[in-house]
Amino acid sequence: MKSINDTYTLSNGLNIPCLGFGTYNPKGGDNCKIIRTAMEAGYRYFDTASLYGTERALGQAVKESGIDRKELFIASKVWIDEMGYTETKQAFE
C-alpha cells in the first residue's frame, strides 16, 4: 500500500480500500463529526457493528459528506447473540 486510495480487488470484481476506518468507541464526543473528518481525510472504507452503536452516526456522516454512496465500502457486523436469519435482519433494522 502506497496511498490511502489503494485498493484490493475482490473475487467478485469489486474494489475494497486497503485501509479502513474502525468506528468502535471513537473518542472525542461527536461520532458523526469524527467519521466525517475521516471521510475528509480520504477514508472510503468504514467498519461498524451493532455492538459499536455508531451505525446511525456513520449514516449521518455519509449523508452530510456529499460523497456518493457508491464510493464508500461499509462493513457492518452482527454480534454473537444476533446470529440467525431473523435475528440478523432485526439487527440490521
Side-chain angles (χ1 to χ4, degrees):
M1 186 178 111
K2 297 178 183 176
S3 161
I4 194 171
N5 299 314
D6 288 350
T7 63
Y8 294 111
T9 302
L10 301 176
S11 62
N12 64 0
L14 292 176
N15 290 321
I16 183 172
C18 294
L19 186 63
F21 187 84
T23 65
Y24 176 72
N25 199 21
K27 303 294 184 197
D30 187 345
N31 293 338
C32 180
K33 184 177 180 182
I34 292 166
I35 294 168
R36 225 176 35 249
T37 300
M39 290 176 178
E40 291 167 7
Y43 283 92
R44 294 298 181 264
Y45 174 23
F46 294 87
D47 175 80
T48 189
S50 58
L51 175 73
Y52 303 172
T54 54
E55 291 170 315
R56 289 191 191 279
L58 175 57
Q60 187 63 35
V62 169
K63 184 177 180 180
E64 292 176 7
S65 74
I67 298 169
D68 188 334
R69 174 60 181 87
K70 293 176 186 175
E71 293 183 35
L72 303 172
F73 194 99
I74 298 174
S76 187
K77 301 170 295 296
V78 294
W79 193 238
I80 195 165
D81 64 353
E82 298 169 327
M83 289 186 179
Y85 180 77
T86 303
E87 295 84 352
T88 299
K89 284 179 64 175
Q90 290 172 345
F92 279 107
E93 285 295 322

